[in-house]
C-alpha cells in the first residue's frame, strides 16, 4: 500500500466558505481512496490529507504572514500539493505554495485530475522520480 501525504491548497482570504470548500475536497479524496482500494486493477493507497485551516490554532498573532509560515512548514513535508480549484489562481498564498512546490520538486496536481486518474503521482516539476 502506497502512503501519500497530500497538502490541500486553495484560496482562503476573501472566501466566505473556504473551510467548507477544503472539507468537501478532503471528503472527495477520502471517497476516491475508498473506491480505489476496492478496485482490483489499481495499487492500494493510504492518503494522509493535510487541510491547512485545521492548523489555524498554531497562529497566535492572527497575521496573514504567520498563517502562511505555518502552512509552508506543513507543505514541505508532503508528497504532493492538490489544488482544490476554488479560484486559487487569485490567491497570493496559494500561488506562493505552488512556487515553493515548483522550487522543491513537489508535484502539483489539480483535484479534478487526481480524482479522474489523470495525474501520475510520480510526476515531479523537476522531472525526477520521487523516492520514498
Amino acid at each position: 500500500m502506497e502512503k501519500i501525504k497530500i497538502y490541500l491548497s486553495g484560496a482562503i482570504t476573501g472566501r466566505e466558505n473556504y473551510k467548507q470548500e477544503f472539507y468537501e475536497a478532503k471528503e472527495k479524496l477520502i471517497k476516491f481512496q475508498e473506491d480505489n482500494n476496492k478496485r482490483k486493477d489499481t495499487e492500494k493507497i493510504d492518503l494522509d490529507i493535510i487541510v491547512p485551516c485545521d492548523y489555524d490554532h498554531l497562529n497566535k498573532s492572527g497575521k496573514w504572514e504567520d498563517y502562511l509560515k505555518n502552512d509552508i512548514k506543513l507543505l514541505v513535508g508532503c508528497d504532493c500539493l492538490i489544488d482544490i480549484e476554488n479560484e486559487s489562481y487569485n490567491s497570493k498564498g496559494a500561488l506562493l505554495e505552488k512556487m515553493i512546490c515548483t522550487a522543491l520538486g513537489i508535484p502539483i496536481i489539480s483535484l479534478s485530475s487526481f480524482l479522474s486518474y489523470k495525474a501520475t503521482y510520480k510526476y515531479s516539476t523537476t522531472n525526477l522520480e520521487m523516492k520514498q
Side-chain angles (χ1 to χ4, degrees):
M1 180 176 295
E2 185 169 8
K3 185 164 183 88
I4 304 169
K5 191 169 184 179
I6 294 172
Y7 180 89
L8 295 184
S9 177
I12 293 176
T13 302
R15 295 194 68 85
E16 188 175 317
N17 297 317
Y18 72 90
K19 285 186 180 184
Q20 179 181 343
E21 293 170 332
F22 275 86
Y23 294 127
E24 285 175 2
K26 182 178 180 177
E27 288 303 316
K28 287 177 183 179
L29 288 168
I30 290 169
K31 178 158 180 15
F32 174 86
Q33 174 183 277
E34 291 168 353
D35 292 346
N36 178 81
N37 290 349
K38 289 177 188 172
R39 294 174 56 168
K40 293 183 182 356
D41 63 332
T42 60
E43 183 177 353
K44 306 248 182 291
I45 56 173
D46 179 17
L47 303 179
D48 181 9
I49 304 163
I50 304 298
V51 178
C53 44
D54 284 347
Y55 299 86
D56 285 353
H57 66 278
L58 297 175
N59 183 349
K60 304 302 181 205
S61 74
K63 293 181 187 174
W64 177 87
E65 295 85 354
D66 291 332
Y67 284 111
L68 188 61
K69 287 176 187 177
N70 289 330
D71 293 348
I72 290 168
K73 290 175 190 173
L74 297 166
L75 169 62
V76 297
C78 291
D79 299 309
C80 68
L81 176 149
I82 292 189
D83 183 341
I84 68 169
E85 301 172 286
N86 70 341
E87 299 182 11
S88 60
Y89 50 82
N90 288 324
S91 167
K92 184 169 61 169
L95 291 173
L96 287 168
E97 291 168 345
K98 290 175 186 149
M99 288 173 63
I100 290 165
C101 287
T102 301
L104 297 178
I106 297 170
I108 301 165
I109 306 167
S110 70
L111 180 62
S112 58
S113 293
F114 190 91
L115 296 176
S116 64
Y117 289 93
K118 291 181 183 168
T120 303
Y121 172 65
K122 295 293 183 186
Y123 169 78
S124 170
T125 54
T126 61
N127 294 324
L128 300 173
E129 274 198 8
M130 294 179 60
K131 307 272 185 202
Q132 293 190 356

